[in-house]
Amino acid sequence: MRFRRLPKRYAAVVTPLVLSLVMTFVVSLVATLRAVGPSPDLVSLWLQGWMMSWAIAFPTLLAVLPLVRRIVMAVVES
């Protein structure tokens, strides 16, 4: 069974949503590994850190994305 795709107008929210999920997933794992090493609590600590970092990253991306787009358009040929 296929899922319904969202209309194109949601791309402005879905893009930073997916980007923030992936980036915070990777970065929080690396940071947690460096901080505690391979410990029995690693997964629990990592998921807590991931949730907190995502809660900050997603709204931040929504806020700064228009500025980032303007900067990119200023340095990239059209």
XYZ file of all heavy atoms in Angstrom:
611
model
N 0.840 -1.181 0.000
C 0.000 0.000 0.000
C 0.884 1.242 0.000
O 1.804 1.358 0.791
C -0.881 -0.015 1.248
C -1.834 1.114 1.311
S -3.014 0.837 2.636
C -2.832 2.332 3.517
N 0.608 2.160 -0.884
C 1.376 3.398 -0.984
C 0.741 4.473 -0.122
O -0.477 4.512 0.042
C 1.428 3.862 -2.425
C 2.239 2.920 -3.306
C 2.344 3.413 -4.685
N 3.023 4.725 -4.669
C 3.346 5.391 -5.752
N 3.054 4.919 -6.934
N 3.947 6.555 -5.670
N 1.581 5.320 0.417
C 1.057 6.429 1.206
C 0.783 7.629 0.305
O 1.369 7.759 -0.761
C 2.020 6.806 2.330
C 3.334 7.355 1.855
C 3.519 8.718 1.734
C 4.398 6.510 1.540
C 4.721 9.236 1.298
C 5.597 7.018 1.101
C 5.759 8.387 0.975
N -0.114 8.474 0.743
C -0.418 9.688 -0.014
C 0.720 10.674 0.128
O 1.238 10.878 1.215
C -1.700 10.322 0.506
C -2.928 9.610 0.020
C -4.206 10.317 0.418
N -4.126 11.763 0.241
C -4.743 12.638 1.021
N -5.488 12.222 2.019
N -4.634 13.925 0.809
N 1.098 11.276 -0.945
C 2.155 12.273 -0.918
C 1.574 13.630 -0.559
O 0.428 13.932 -0.893
C 2.846 12.325 -2.273
C 3.576 11.017 -2.557
C 4.144 10.968 -3.923
N 5.173 12.000 -4.070
C 5.960 12.091 -5.111
N 5.858 11.248 -6.109
N 6.862 13.039 -5.181
N 2.373 14.426 0.112
C 1.942 15.766 0.487
C 1.980 16.689 -0.729
O 2.805 16.501 -1.622
C 2.872 16.332 1.565
C 2.835 15.631 2.908
C 3.959 16.140 3.798
C 1.497 15.846 3.580
N 1.142 17.693 -0.744
C 1.215 18.683 -1.821
C 2.551 19.427 -1.779
O 3.180 19.555 -0.726
C 0.056 19.641 -1.512
C -0.858 18.877 -0.627
C 0.005 17.920 0.137
N 2.961 19.935 -2.922
C 4.254 20.602 -3.061
C 4.407 21.788 -2.110
O 5.508 22.103 -1.672
C 4.443 21.054 -4.511
C 5.814 21.558 -4.805
C 5.996 21.843 -6.275
C 7.429 22.274 -6.542
N 7.716 22.346 -7.954
N 3.317 22.426 -1.746
C 3.407 23.609 -0.881
C 3.993 23.285 0.501
O 4.438 24.180 1.211
C 2.044 24.275 -0.744
C 1.029 23.474 0.033
C -0.306 24.235 0.118
N -1.293 23.486 0.840
C -2.158 22.646 0.298
N -2.159 22.472 -1.011
N -3.025 21.993 1.029
N 4.004 22.021 0.897
C 4.567 21.627 2.188
C 6.077 21.413 2.146
O 6.697 21.171 3.177
C 3.890 20.359 2.703
C 2.453 20.585 3.093
C 1.418 20.122 2.293
C 2.118 21.278 4.254
C 0.099 20.329 2.636
C 0.804 21.503 4.604
C -0.203 21.019 3.794
O -1.499 21.240 4.141
N 6.680 21.515 0.988
C 8.123 21.281 0.855
C 8.939 22.226 1.731
O 9.994 21.847 2.253
C 8.547 21.408 -0.601
N 8.463 23.450 1.931
C 9.200 24.426 2.736
C 9.293 24.024 4.199
O 10.179 24.481 4.918
C 8.548 25.803 2.614
N 8.397 23.151 4.658
C 8.440 22.661 6.035
C 9.038 21.253 6.084
O 9.794 20.932 7.003
C 7.033 22.667 6.669
C 7.043 22.032 8.039
C 6.501 24.084 6.739
N 8.738 20.430 5.099
C 9.223 19.050 5.102
C 10.739 18.997 4.912
O 11.420 18.182 5.546
C 8.488 18.204 4.044
C 9.093 16.817 3.928
C 7.013 18.112 4.384
N 11.293 19.876 4.080
C 12.742 19.882 3.856
C 13.511 20.127 5.152
O 14.374 19.325 5.514
C 13.125 20.908 2.773
O 12.482 20.543 1.557
C 14.620 20.971 2.576
N 13.242 21.211 5.897
C 13.973 21.386 7.148
C 13.637 20.319 8.190
O 14.481 19.989 9.030
C 13.587 22.780 7.624
C 12.411 23.178 6.830
C 12.416 22.370 5.579
N 12.433 19.759 8.138
C 12.080 18.678 9.061
C 12.993 17.481 8.844
O 13.625 16.982 9.788
C 10.621 18.269 8.874
C 10.173 17.034 9.653
C 10.159 17.325 11.142
C 8.814 16.569 9.170
N 13.099 17.021 7.605
C 13.939 15.853 7.298
C 15.406 16.178 7.544
O 16.138 15.379 8.134
C 13.697 15.376 5.846
C 14.679 14.291 5.459
C 12.262 14.897 5.681
N 15.847 17.348 7.113
C 17.238 17.744 7.316
C 17.591 17.792 8.795
O 18.638 17.275 9.212
C 17.488 19.111 6.674
C 18.905 19.650 6.759
C 19.884 18.722 6.055
C 18.969 21.035 6.152
N 16.741 18.355 9.608
C 17.023 18.435 11.039
C 17.013 17.058 11.696
O 17.826 16.786 12.583
C 16.036 19.370 11.739
O 14.713 18.879 11.686
N 16.122 16.186 11.265
C 16.098 14.828 11.823
C 17.393 14.075 11.514
O 18.009 13.486 12.412
C 14.895 14.045 11.284
C 13.540 14.407 11.869
C 12.421 13.764 11.055
C 13.444 13.990 13.322
N 17.815 14.125 10.256
C 19.017 13.386 9.851
C 20.266 13.969 10.500
O 21.099 13.243 11.051
C 19.152 13.362 8.311
C 20.489 12.772 7.890
C 18.009 12.576 7.697
N 20.419 15.291 10.436
C 21.630 15.916 10.973
C 21.747 15.747 12.486
O 22.814 15.423 12.996
C 21.681 17.400 10.600
C 21.912 17.650 9.134
S 23.455 16.924 8.520
C 24.650 17.813 9.479
N 20.669 15.958 13.213
C 20.757 15.808 14.665
C 20.949 14.351 15.061
O 21.604 14.064 16.059
C 19.513 16.389 15.368
O 18.332 15.764 14.863
C 19.437 17.893 15.195
N 20.411 13.429 14.274
C 20.602 11.997 14.510
C 22.088 11.668 14.494
O 22.627 11.058 15.421
C 19.850 11.213 13.428
C 19.887 9.718 13.567
C 18.944 9.061 14.331
C 20.842 8.967 12.908
C 18.956 7.673 14.443
C 20.865 7.589 13.015
C 19.919 6.936 13.782
N 22.780 12.085 13.454
C 24.202 11.774 13.284
C 25.065 12.535 14.282
O 25.915 11.956 14.964
C 24.652 12.067 11.835
C 26.156 11.920 11.685
C 23.922 11.167 10.857
N 24.852 13.839 14.380
C 25.706 14.663 15.236
C 25.537 14.294 16.707
O 26.517 14.220 17.453
C 25.428 16.165 14.991
C 26.156 17.027 16.001
C 25.835 16.536 13.579
N 24.319 14.048 17.142
C 24.120 13.679 18.543
C 24.723 12.319 18.854
O 25.242 12.105 19.960
C 22.634 13.707 18.908
O 21.911 12.739 18.172
N 24.707 11.400 17.893
C 25.349 10.100 18.115
C 26.853 10.269 18.290
O 27.447 9.719 19.222
C 25.054 9.133 16.966
C 25.770 7.774 17.044
C 25.398 7.030 18.323
C 25.454 6.946 15.815
N 27.472 11.035 17.414
C 28.916 11.268 17.510
C 29.255 11.964 18.825
O 30.198 11.562 19.530
C 29.408 12.092 16.301
C 30.849 12.542 16.490
C 29.261 11.289 15.018
N 28.502 12.988 19.188
C 28.765 13.722 20.426
C 28.585 12.830 21.650
O 29.390 12.881 22.594
C 27.856 14.942 20.518
N 27.558 12.004 21.646
C 27.318 11.113 22.781
C 28.412 10.058 22.881
O 28.896 9.767 23.986
C 25.931 10.445 22.673
O 24.937 11.460 22.526
C 25.615 9.612 23.899
N 28.815 9.502 21.756
C 29.917 8.528 21.768
C 31.194 9.149 22.312
O 31.911 8.521 23.097
C 30.167 7.987 20.361
C 29.426 6.722 19.984
C 29.604 6.423 18.497
C 29.882 5.549 20.827
N 31.491 10.356 21.913
C 32.703 11.028 22.403
C 32.601 11.339 23.892
O 33.591 11.300 24.604
C 32.963 12.303 21.624
C 33.469 12.016 20.215
C 34.039 13.217 19.517
N 34.892 14.065 20.322
C 36.231 13.986 20.375
N 36.860 13.084 19.679
N 36.907 14.838 21.115
N 31.419 11.659 24.360
C 31.249 12.050 25.763
C 31.250 10.860 26.715
O 31.874 10.925 27.778
C 29.957 12.844 25.931
N 30.565 9.773 26.347
C 30.422 8.653 27.291
C 31.100 7.380 26.817
O 31.225 6.430 27.593
C 28.938 8.357 27.618
C 28.272 9.554 28.247
C 28.174 7.867 26.414
N 31.500 7.344 25.551
C 32.103 6.119 25.026
C 31.050 5.035 24.861
O 29.855 5.258 25.060
N 31.502 3.845 24.504
C 30.548 2.738 24.310
C 30.079 2.166 25.651
O 30.581 1.163 26.131
C 31.356 1.715 23.508
C 32.781 2.009 23.844
C 32.858 3.476 24.153
N 29.119 2.833 26.265
C 28.618 2.406 27.566
C 27.259 1.732 27.416
O 26.598 1.874 26.392
C 28.499 3.608 28.507
O 27.363 4.362 28.207
N 26.830 1.021 28.453
C 25.501 0.385 28.400
C 24.354 1.400 28.274
O 23.288 1.068 27.777
C 25.394 -0.357 29.733
C 26.785 -0.487 30.239
C 27.565 0.652 29.659
N 24.580 2.626 28.717
C 23.550 3.665 28.651
C 23.602 4.472 27.357
O 22.866 5.450 27.202
C 23.706 4.641 29.819
C 23.473 3.993 31.164
O 22.737 2.983 31.204
O 24.028 4.480 32.161
N 24.461 4.095 26.427
C 24.689 4.885 25.226
C 23.394 5.196 24.470
O 23.113 6.349 24.163
C 25.680 4.195 24.286
C 25.915 4.903 22.952
C 26.614 6.234 23.175
C 26.701 4.019 22.011
N 22.607 4.188 24.183
C 21.401 4.395 23.374
C 20.423 5.329 24.083
O 19.881 6.258 23.478
C 20.733 3.049 23.011
C 19.394 3.276 22.335
C 21.653 2.232 22.121
N 20.228 5.122 25.375
C 19.302 5.964 26.133
C 19.785 7.417 26.166
O 19.015 8.340 25.920
C 19.165 5.424 27.556
O 18.426 6.305 28.360
N 21.056 7.615 26.458
C 21.622 8.964 26.504
C 21.573 9.627 25.130
O 21.260 10.813 25.008
C 23.059 8.917 27.020
C 23.234 8.521 28.481
C 24.703 8.257 28.790
C 22.657 9.583 29.395
N 21.891 8.850 24.105
C 21.896 9.378 22.747
C 20.495 9.816 22.327
O 20.311 10.904 21.787
C 22.452 8.336 21.786
C 22.227 8.648 20.347
C 22.432 9.837 19.722
C 21.744 7.757 19.357
N 22.111 9.732 18.381
C 21.686 8.464 18.139
C 21.360 6.415 19.380
C 21.250 7.871 16.959
C 20.939 5.834 18.207
C 20.888 6.556 17.018
N 19.479 8.988 22.574
C 18.122 9.345 22.182
C 17.620 10.577 22.925
O 16.925 11.412 22.345
C 17.175 8.165 22.379
C 17.395 7.000 21.409
C 16.476 5.831 21.744
C 17.215 7.442 19.974
N 17.990 10.711 24.201
C 17.621 11.914 24.952
C 18.273 13.149 24.331
O 17.627 14.185 24.144
C 18.035 11.785 26.409
C 17.231 10.784 27.189
C 17.784 10.583 28.594
O 18.477 11.432 29.133
N 17.477 9.441 29.187
N 19.555 13.030 24.022
C 20.272 14.133 23.390
C 19.724 14.445 22.007
O 19.619 15.616 21.616
N 19.373 13.399 21.277
C 18.829 13.589 19.932
C 17.506 14.346 19.987
O 17.287 15.305 19.244
C 18.661 12.247 19.239
C 18.128 12.331 17.841
C 18.342 13.338 16.938
C 17.300 11.387 17.182
N 17.703 13.063 15.754
C 17.051 11.866 15.875
C 16.753 10.177 17.558
C 16.271 11.179 14.955
C 15.985 9.489 16.640
C 15.755 9.985 15.352
N 16.616 13.948 20.878
C 15.318 14.633 20.979
C 15.501 16.103 21.338
O 14.856 16.976 20.770
C 14.424 13.933 22.002
C 13.865 12.618 21.500
S 12.670 11.889 22.633
C 13.745 11.178 23.847
N 16.395 16.378 22.272
C 16.618 17.756 22.685
C 17.232 18.570 21.544
O 16.802 19.692 21.270
C 17.527 17.821 23.907
C 17.697 19.227 24.440
S 18.837 19.362 25.831
C 18.255 18.088 26.910
N 18.220 17.999 20.875
C 18.872 18.740 19.796
C 17.917 18.949 18.618
O 17.927 20.004 17.988
C 20.155 18.049 19.341
O 19.887 16.763 18.817
N 17.065 17.966 18.333
C 16.102 18.142 17.245
C 15.090 19.238 17.589
O 14.716 20.040 16.736
C 15.370 16.842 16.925
C 14.383 17.072 15.832
C 14.641 17.143 14.503
C 12.991 17.347 15.982
N 13.484 17.439 13.804
C 12.465 17.568 14.699
C 12.151 17.432 17.087
C 11.123 17.858 14.490
C 10.810 17.727 16.876
C 10.316 17.936 15.579
N 14.659 19.277 18.854
C 13.680 20.284 19.276
C 14.233 21.700 19.102
O 13.476 22.651 18.922
C 13.270 20.047 20.725
N 15.540 21.840 19.134
C 16.173 23.137 18.913
C 16.462 23.345 17.424
O 16.258 24.426 16.877
C 17.462 23.253 19.745
C 17.104 23.256 21.240
C 18.267 24.494 19.357
C 18.277 23.059 22.157
N 16.933 22.301 16.755
C 17.371 22.421 15.362
C 16.222 22.713 14.403
O 16.377 23.535 13.491
C 18.093 21.142 14.932
N 15.090 22.066 14.568
C 13.997 22.241 13.599
C 13.470 23.676 13.562
O 13.430 24.288 12.496
C 12.881 21.232 13.866
C 11.729 21.342 12.912
C 11.923 21.275 11.544
C 10.440 21.512 13.379
C 10.862 21.377 10.652
C 9.374 21.611 12.512
C 9.583 21.547 11.145
N 13.107 24.265 14.706
C 12.647 25.652 14.619
C 13.752 26.613 14.168
O 13.480 27.613 13.493
C 12.169 25.993 16.030
C 12.409 24.815 16.867
C 12.927 23.711 16.032
N 15.001 26.296 14.522
C 16.113 27.134 14.069
C 16.222 27.097 12.551
O 16.387 28.142 11.907
C 17.434 26.676 14.717
O 17.310 26.759 16.142
C 18.598 27.519 14.252
N 16.119 25.905 11.969
C 16.158 25.799 10.512
C 15.011 26.555 9.859
O 15.200 27.224 8.851
C 16.115 24.330 10.083
C 17.436 23.602 10.039
C 17.221 22.107 9.817
C 18.329 24.170 8.967
N 13.833 26.453 10.421
C 12.696 27.189 9.874
C 12.953 28.695 9.898
O 12.593 29.404 8.960
C 11.415 26.875 10.657
C 10.817 25.493 10.468
C 9.634 25.299 11.413
C 10.411 25.245 9.035
N 13.609 29.155 10.952
C 13.858 30.586 11.090
C 14.965 31.082 10.163
O 14.861 32.179 9.611
C 14.213 30.919 12.545
N 16.022 30.309 10.000
C 17.184 30.795 9.240
C 17.177 30.397 7.772
O 17.953 30.933 6.988
C 18.526 30.367 9.886
C 18.637 30.879 11.303
C 18.732 28.880 9.811
N 16.324 29.486 7.378
C 16.322 29.022 5.990
C 16.117 30.146 4.966
O 16.810 30.165 3.951
C 15.301 27.904 5.799
C 15.505 26.999 4.601
C 16.915 26.430 4.548
C 14.489 25.885 4.611
N 15.224 31.102 5.186
C 15.112 32.195 4.210
C 16.430 32.978 4.052
O 16.821 33.322 2.939
C 14.008 33.082 4.779
C 13.195 32.160 5.637
C 14.180 31.190 6.210
N 17.116 33.234 5.143
C 18.399 33.930 5.075
C 19.432 33.086 4.340
O 20.181 33.595 3.492
C 18.895 34.271 6.482
C 20.288 34.880 6.581
C 20.341 36.218 5.852
C 20.696 35.023 8.032
N 19.474 31.796 4.632
C 20.422 30.900 3.965
C 20.158 30.873 2.462
O 21.101 30.922 1.661
C 20.343 29.482 4.567
C 21.125 28.483 3.741
C 20.832 29.492 6.005
N 18.903 30.838 2.074
C 18.574 30.835 0.645
C 19.057 32.110 -0.039
O 19.577 32.072 -1.150
C 17.072 30.656 0.445
C 16.609 29.253 0.712
C 15.137 29.077 0.359
N 14.749 27.699 0.570
C 13.700 27.314 1.280
N 12.916 28.211 1.851
N 13.418 26.039 1.419
N 18.892 33.254 0.631
C 19.378 34.518 0.051
C 20.889 34.530 -0.073
O 21.437 34.998 -1.080
C 18.913 35.704 0.896
C 17.464 36.081 0.649
C 17.147 37.424 1.257
N 17.296 37.347 2.711
C 16.296 37.380 3.577
N 15.061 37.495 3.132
N 16.508 37.296 4.855
N 21.583 34.006 0.932
C 23.050 33.939 0.882
C 23.496 33.041 -0.263
O 24.402 33.380 -1.030
C 23.627 33.466 2.229
C 23.389 34.524 3.310
C 25.110 33.141 2.109
C 23.671 34.053 4.714
N 22.857 31.884 -0.389
C 23.216 30.947 -1.460
C 22.976 31.598 -2.814
O 23.832 31.489 -3.720
C 22.427 29.627 -1.313
C 22.595 28.765 -2.555
C 22.889 28.874 -0.072
N 21.872 32.267 -2.990
C 21.586 32.902 -4.282
C 22.582 34.017 -4.585
O 22.852 34.313 -5.751
C 20.158 33.450 -4.318
C 19.093 32.361 -4.268
S 19.345 31.012 -5.459
C 19.176 31.879 -6.989
N 23.162 34.615 -3.558
C 24.147 35.675 -3.760
C 25.508 35.122 -4.206
O 26.270 35.823 -4.866
C 24.316 36.492 -2.482
N 25.801 33.881 -3.868
C 27.117 33.327 -4.183
C 27.087 32.286 -5.301
O 28.134 31.834 -5.749
C 27.812 32.729 -2.932
C 28.039 33.813 -1.890
C 27.029 31.577 -2.366
N 25.903 31.903 -5.758
C 25.761 30.886 -6.804
C 25.176 31.548 -8.045
O 24.247 32.341 -7.957
C 24.849 29.736 -6.321
C 24.567 28.754 -7.436
C 25.468 29.032 -5.126
N 25.719 31.189 -9.191
C 25.185 31.741 -10.437
C 23.755 31.267 -10.661
O 23.422 30.136 -10.357
C 26.030 31.273 -11.629
C 27.383 31.925 -11.719
C 28.113 31.509 -12.976
O 27.461 31.097 -13.951
O 29.348 31.599 -12.967
N 22.950 32.164 -11.215
C 21.556 31.792 -11.471
C 21.400 31.166 -12.831
O 22.237 31.229 -13.678
C 20.641 33.004 -11.347
O 21.058 34.019 -12.220
